[in-house]
Amino acid sequence: MPTSPICLALDVPSLAAAKELAAACAPHVGMLKIGIELFVAEGPRVVTELKTLGLPIFLDLKLFDIPTTVQRAAKSVAGLGVSMVTVHASGGREMMEAAIEGAGPDVTVVAVTVLTSMTDGDMHRVGIDRPVIQQVRKLADLAKGSGAKGLVCATAELQQISGLFGHAMVYVTPGIRGDEPVSDDDQKRTMKVDEAIKAGTDWLVIGRPIRDAKNPAASAAAMNAVALAAIAKYRTPK
Ligand code: C5P
């Protein structure tokens, strides 16, 4: 059982900055997320270096390509020794199955449904003729049927989704916000830490509210305290 349900998004441009942020916050978070900004800038060594902090690593590459390419990429991901990797559920069943096969038994393949930066109003602009919640449900079904072990969605959809799959899936929710607003925020489907825990999330992905705080470690500690209190309040032990 991790000490914290917070997954810290290391959205910084260099390994040095990532190490500094991760080391400062490590006592208050349960997982470290490496996204495309950091991975493209520093390459696989960023995984090796950050693993020395002893926390599981989530490689958020959001793979989306033909099945063969995704399978081979997922195999390379597994070779890095990470715990979790993302694929886009909209890549379809064959692509997700290929990702799972490539990732092997030690890497949890988590399917991204609808990005938390999108709203109902954005859906038709990308050719989807239904509201976010229906699209999330459709993609969640597809991901579950394809063998994905986890889902990424906004907390707003979680109640319905977790009602469908229960504890059979790992739920990962970005767009988590504290009391301070994030400047120029592009996340649209946001929610507070305690609301996300109440809705049933397993991992709260948090980036800017911690990264951009005056004192990131203090911000991580405060958000973790809220999360742990909410777990005690809303969750019955499994
Ligand atoms: O800074 P913020 O807390 O918004 O960071 C959210 C993180 O979660 C970013 O690293 C972003 O890439 C990631 N993410 C997301 N929405 C998804 C999947 C991942 O915001 N659907």
Side-chain angles (χ1 to χ4, degrees):
M1 183 72 183
T3 53
S4 165
I6 293 178
C7 173
L8 176 63
L10 297 167
D11 293 329
V12 290
S14 71
L15 175 59
K19 276 166 110 173
E20 191 183 330
L21 180 61
C25 298
H28 315 295
V29 303
M31 184 151 61
L32 300 173
K33 184 174 90 69
I34 298 167
I36 49 178
E37 177 188 4
L38 184 57
F39 196 74
V40 169
E42 296 283 9
R45 73 177 176 139
V46 79
V47 175
T48 324
E49 293 273 339
L50 289 167
K51 272 173 73 176
T52 60
L53 291 171
L55 290 169
I57 304 286
F58 172 12
L59 196 51
D60 184 17
L61 297 183
K62 297 190 181 69
L63 302 173
F64 190 5
D65 209 317
I66 58 169
T68 304
T69 302
V70 167
Q71 192 211 329
R72 294 170 70 96
K75 195 172 173 196
S76 295
V77 165
L80 299 176
V82 304
S83 300
M84 228 189 246
V85 67
T86 37
V87 297
H88 270 289
S90 48
R93 173 186 275 269
E94 272 182 54
M95 191 205 78
M96 282 188 276
E97 286 174 350
I100 293 158
E101 193 186 326
D106 298 330
V107 184
T108 303
V109 173
V110 174
V112 177
T113 56
V114 177
L115 294 172
T116 39
S117 54
M118 298 180 78
T119 62
D120 285 344
D122 297 316
M123 299 305 285
H124 74 275
R125 283 192 273 277
V126 293
I128 294 163
D129 202 13
R130 58 180 80 89
V132 168
I133 181 63
Q134 283 179 22
Q135 181 69 358
V136 170
R137 280 192 62 158
K138 199 175 168 68
L139 291 174
D141 273 333
L142 185 64
K144 177 79 170 66
S146 308
K149 293 280 187 295
L151 292 167
V152 185
C153 64
T155 308
E157 294 95 49
L158 201 56
Q159 268 177 332
Q160 279 207 31
I161 299 303
S162 62
L164 291 178
F165 307 123
H167 297 307
M169 300 290 265
V170 175
Y171 304 106
V172 179
T173 55
I176 304 297
R177 294 293 175 254
D179 294 328
E180 298 291 319
V182 161
S183 61
D184 296 325
D185 204 351
D186 53 353
Q187 297 281 25
K188 305 278 169 38
R189 302 186 342 265
T190 60
M191 223 172 245
K192 302 269 195 224
V193 170
D194 54 340
E195 295 169 326
I197 295 289
K198 190 178 177 189
T201 192
D202 293 297
W203 288 106
L204 304 140
V205 176
I206 307 179
R208 285 164 287 186
I210 293 175
R211 182 198 71 186
D212 296 346
K214 277 197 198 83
N215 182 337
S219 171
M223 293 181 98
N224 190 37
V226 173
L228 295 179
I231 288 173
K233 184 172 174 188
Y234 297 117
R235 304 270 170 94
T236 46
K238 286 181 195 172

